[in-house]
Amino acid sequence: MTRYALVVEYDGRPFMGWQRQDHGPSVQASLEDAVHRMTGETVAVHAAGRTDAGVHATAMRAHLDLDRHIDPFRLAEGLNALVRPDPIAVIGCVAVPDDWHARFSCVGRRYRYRIVNRRAPLTFDRGLAWRVPDPLDAAAMHEAAQRLVGRHDFTTFRSAHCQADSPLRTLDRLDVTRHGDEVVVIAAARSFLHHQVRSMVGCLALVGRGRWSADDLAGALAARDRAALGHNAPPDGLYFTEAVYPTSTSAAAG
Amino acid sequence: MTRYALVVEYDGRPFMGWQRQDHGPSVQASLEDAVHRMTGETVAVHAAGRTDAGVHATAMRAHLDLDRHIDPFRLAEGLNALVRPDPIAVIGCVAVPDDWHARFSCVGRRYRYRIVNRRAPLTFDRGLAWRVPDPLDAAAMHEAAQRLVGRHDFTTFRSAHCQADSPLRTLDRLDVTRHGDEVVVIAAARSFLHHQVRSMVGCLALVGRGRWSADDLAGALAARDRAALGHNAPPDGLYFTEAVYPTSTSAAAG
């Protein structure tokens, strides 16, 4: 058996999410079906994060096991040919030790959230960013965001469907910067609750529009109550951008 | 009568090009139909450049005349609502003097061409960039590109359908830079021949792959013969990004 680590980029628009679903297309099913057609083997492809419907990834990490050894470059090329026309690209592929696990070995996850802050509707970025027509004060958003950094009970920012045992998470970084008419939020943590990034971004947008103060945001966190959530941002702007592993060598892209 | 100058962004993928066509959708027809539905007036919308099928614009300049005066902000908002679901956005709209003409007043045009230089297929950028799998030497491309800058007979880089009276053009700038796995070509001139940017980019890619030298490129230019063209790059990567007017005030975005 050989274990392969993949770096996968995907446009989440046509998918029900990463995870295989009965009722619609998923990134996982597309990859697993491609592996089966290429090798005849029925495998599970495990990811560092199970993104929701409409959420994207620029560098999802995943792994799979094959009985027959295949050159990693050939595996990536074959999968890229077979997932067509799904908007999935294997941009890295290496053989890794058998105990390397895309999800359980992962010690850090990073997301980027793209807001396009303008009146006009989106063209190229439709489904790839959240358009907010009201002017956003990105500096105020960044300042308020620092109230969420650290170890907290994030119940307010957690979906009702979240399956995590505990609502406690340590948010390492939540940065908001403006680049022209784009406001970008970077979130980093060991792991996130379900909908946590979108819920934080939705509330930060309320701060950016002047509807909430930084104290309102801190109050929502302290409430530890989903009903205190101001707004949940749409999946369109969310990208899984990085997974961190203890030994960088074993997770390196091919 | 009031003349309005527009700044228009569009994703060229679903269109036969800027210009109204009998056999398929166009940016011009979508905008003219929206104006008609909004005002009841039948107008022509004139653009600084008539982009081809599949070519995009981040800031096309255009103008139209209306008998009834409408607030420019309301005109932009109305057009944006009515062009839906076409991927067109009016991102600027101002009233301009009656002698301001989007095409004939324009003294400079700028295009950007995006090449994604990687093995893996495109996901987010499908139809929005040209994927070149072989490694490209962007520095060699830039150096060779300088052989095309200046006033030349660009017959080699001109489509058979070009309607310009003369093949002489003055290329002010042709810059090639690499940003990660993206190679970007910026082209600036008073005006371009039909397919000129795509033809220049196609040949520069041959230089980047080591198949052509800078002398080969200069030789192709000197041949003044379409048969000397190495390669015509696809429309996917081409963006109209800027039109320059003598008095910047009258063309300012709203």
Side-chain angles (χ1 to χ4, degrees):
Chain A
M1 185 210 88
T2 305
R3 178 159 293 186
Y4 297 89
L6 307 178
V7 185
V8 186
E9 173 188 287
Y10 53 87
D11 175 345
R13 284 178 288 190
F15 300 109
M16 304 299 299
W18 166 270
Q19 202 160 18
R20 186 182 275 275
Q21 308 274 339
D22 290 334
H23 58 293
S26 65
V27 182
Q28 186 181 28
S30 182
L31 284 168
E32 288 172 356
D33 294 352
V35 172
H36 183 76
R37 274 182 291 152
M38 184 175 177
T39 66
E41 298 189 37
T42 300
V43 303
V45 180
H46 300 276
R50 287 164 297 180
T51 54
D52 272 338
V55 174
H56 320 288
T58 60
M60 178 57 76
R61 297 300 190 94
H63 80 262
L64 64 114
D65 296 331
L66 291 177
D67 290 334
R68 186 164 64 96
H69 181 80
I70 296 181
D71 175 68
F73 178 80
R74 278 222 315 126
L75 179 58
E77 295 272 296
L79 294 180
N80 282 333
L82 290 164
V83 293
R84 261 177 226 170
D86 287 344
I88 299 171
V90 176
I91 58 176
C93 180
V94 289
V96 289
D98 292 0
D99 62 349
W100 189 89
H101 194 289
R103 182 174 171 202
F104 299 124
S105 304
C106 180
V107 295
R109 291 165 174 88
R110 188 176 288 206
Y111 285 90
R112 182 168 65 233
Y113 196 99
R114 295 182 58 210
I115 299 171
V116 175
N117 189 204
R118 72 178 198 185
R119 296 279 321 164
L122 301 180
T123 61
F124 311 106
D125 286 327
R126 203 176 285 177
L128 296 176
W130 179 28
R131 178 179 68 103
V132 175
D134 299 330
L136 293 174
D137 180 342
M141 291 168 71
H142 179 73
E143 199 184 321
Q146 305 322 303
R147 306 285 284 269
L148 301 180
V149 172
R151 185 159 181 80
H152 302 289
D153 178 331
F154 282 98
T155 296
T156 303
F157 302 93
R158 174 189 198 181
S159 125
H161 303 290
C162 184
Q163 290 167 18
D165 292 332
S166 163
L168 285 171
R169 285 295 180 275
T170 301
L171 182 63
D172 296 319
R173 181 181 165 194
L174 190 63
D175 289 338
V176 185
T177 50
R178 177 178 281 280
H179 311 268
D181 67 2
E182 193 162 328
V183 174
V184 175
V185 183
I186 304 285
R190 185 179 180 98
S191 67
F192 290 93
L193 299 168
H194 191 231
H195 280 192
Q196 186 181 345
V197 179
R198 289 168 53 188
S199 296
M200 295 191 300
V201 169
C203 292
L204 287 175
L206 291 175
V207 174
R209 292 161 68 190
R211 303 250 230 112
W212 271 25
S213 66
D215 284 343
D216 290 332
L217 184 69
L221 175 68
R224 284 175 276 175
D225 179 357
R226 184 69 177 165
L229 183 77
H231 187 72
N232 195 34
D236 310 49
L238 188 59
Y239 295 72
F240 185 101
T241 58
E242 194 181 341
V244 180
Y245 296 90
T247 43
S248 59
T249 45
S250 58
Chain B
M1 184 209 92
T2 305
R3 179 159 291 186
Y4 297 89
L6 307 178
V7 184
V8 186
E9 174 188 287
Y10 54 86
D11 175 344
R13 285 177 288 190
F15 300 109
M16 303 299 298
W18 166 270
Q19 201 159 20
R20 186 182 275 275
Q21 308 273 341
D22 290 334
H23 57 292
S26 65
V27 181
Q28 185 181 28
S30 182
L31 284 168
E32 289 173 355
D33 294 353
V35 172
H36 183 77
R37 276 183 288 153
M38 183 174 178
T39 67
E41 297 188 37
T42 301
V43 302
V45 179
H46 300 275
R50 287 164 297 179
T51 53
D52 272 338
V55 175
H56 320 288
T58 59
M60 177 56 75
R61 297 300 189 95
H63 80 264
L64 64 114
D65 297 330
L66 291 178
D67 290 334
R68 188 163 64 95
H69 181 79
I70 296 179
D71 174 68
F73 178 80
R74 277 223 313 125
L75 179 58
E77 295 272 296
L79 294 180
N80 281 334
L82 289 164
V83 293
R84 263 178 225 167
D86 288 343
I88 298 172
V90 176
I91 57 175
C93 180
V94 287
V96 289
D98 292 0
D99 63 348
W100 188 89
H101 195 289
R103 182 172 171 205
F104 299 124
S105 305
C106 181
V107 296
R109 291 164 175 88
R110 187 177 289 206
Y111 284 89
R112 182 169 63 231
Y113 196 99
R114 294 181 59 210
I115 299 171
V116 175
N117 190 205
R118 71 178 199 185
R119 296 280 319 164
L122 301 181
T123 61
F124 311 107
D125 285 327
R126 203 175 286 178
L128 297 176
W130 178 28
R131 179 179 67 102
V132 175
D134 299 328
L136 293 173
D137 180 341
M141 291 168 71
H142 178 73
E143 198 184 323
Q146 305 321 304
R147 307 285 283 270
L148 300 181
V149 172
R151 185 159 180 80
H152 302 288
D153 178 331
F154 282 99
T155 296
T156 303
F157 302 94
R158 175 190 197 180
S159 121
H161 303 291
C162 184
Q163 290 167 18
D165 292 333
S166 162
L168 285 171
R169 286 294 181 275
T170 302
L171 182 62
D172 297 319
R173 182 180 164 194
L174 191 62
D175 289 338
V176 185
T177 50
R178 176 177 282 278
H179 310 269
D181 67 3
E182 193 162 328
V183 175
V184 175
V185 183
I186 305 284
R190 184 180 181 98
S191 66
F192 290 93
L193 299 168
H194 191 231
H195 281 191
Q196 187 182 344
V197 179
R198 289 168 52 190
S199 295
M200 293 190 303
V201 169
C203 292
L204 286 175
L206 291 174
V207 173
R209 292 161 67 191
R211 301 251 230 111
W212 272 24
S213 66
D215 284 343
D216 290 332
L217 183 69
L221 174 68
R224 282 175 278 173
D225 178 357
R226 185 68 178 165
L229 183 77
H231 187 71
N232 195 33
D236 311 47
L238 188 59
Y239 295 73
F240 186 101
T241 58
E242 195 181 341
V244 181
Y245 297 90
T247 45
S248 58
T249 46
S250 60

